[in-house]
Amino acid sequence: QVQLVESGGGLVQAGGSLRLSCAASGRPFSNYVMGWFRQAPGKEREFVSAISWRSSMTYYADSVKGRFTISRDNVKNTVYLQMNSLKPEDTAVYYCAVDVNGVCRTIGAVDYWGKGTLVTVSS
């Protein structure tokens, strides 16, 4: 069983920055991928970014490329999402996710979800 603890959400003005954190605990996996999804009011949950623990490969949704950066701390089993140049359309609940099979880029691939942290970007 894996538990995910998220932090870093909040209210920020458009153009500002936030840094999200997600600490994972539980049974370790060799090839797992951790990432982030988000869900805005009235919209479906969508992929944001992911990083592989084995290869360090990173993946980004087109909507956040160049603005968001995902990173990891292997010792702390923590993934970060640095969000810069935030836009009102980035407003959503951001969910940390783990795919023990090494994908974590589709909702169906996610094995564990965090409870979410709210990011609100004002205009």
Side-chain angles (χ1 to χ4, degrees):
Q1 196 72 24
V2 174
Q3 295 81 45
L4 304 174
V5 180
E6 300 155 313
S7 62
L11 175 65
V12 65
Q13 189 169 304
S17 299
L18 286 173
R19 182 179 174 89
L20 305 183
S21 300
C22 175
S25 62
R27 183 183 179 88
F29 303 97
S30 297
N31 301 311
Y32 64 91
V33 173
M34 292 185 66
W36 296 91
F37 291 72
R38 67 185 182 184
Q39 188 165 20
K43 296 184 178 181
E44 297 182 359
R45 191 170 299 187
E46 64 178 0
F47 169 75
V48 176
S49 185
I51 184 167
S52 170
W53 243 246
R54 186 176 182 88
S55 69
S56 298
M57 291 291 295
T58 58
Y59 309 89
Y60 297 94
D62 289 341
S63 59
V64 305
K65 285 182 179 178
R67 299 189 297 120
F68 292 9
T69 303
I70 192 169
S71 61
R72 62 171 183 163
D73 185 325
N74 290 358
V75 175
K76 296 181 179 180
N77 287 331
T78 299
V79 64
Y80 305 94
L81 186 67
Q82 179 66 45
M83 306 185 295
N84 298 326
S85 301
L86 283 163
K87 305 174 181 179
E89 51 263 44
D90 294 318
T91 295
V93 176
Y94 284 71
Y95 297 92
C96 185
V98 171
D99 179 0
V100 301
N101 300 124
V103 180
C104 205
R105 299 198 296 278
T106 62
I107 294 175
V110 174
D111 296 295
Y112 302 97
W113 293 100
K115 63 182 180 181
T117 183
L118 177 63
V119 172
T120 302
V121 184
S122 62
S123 60

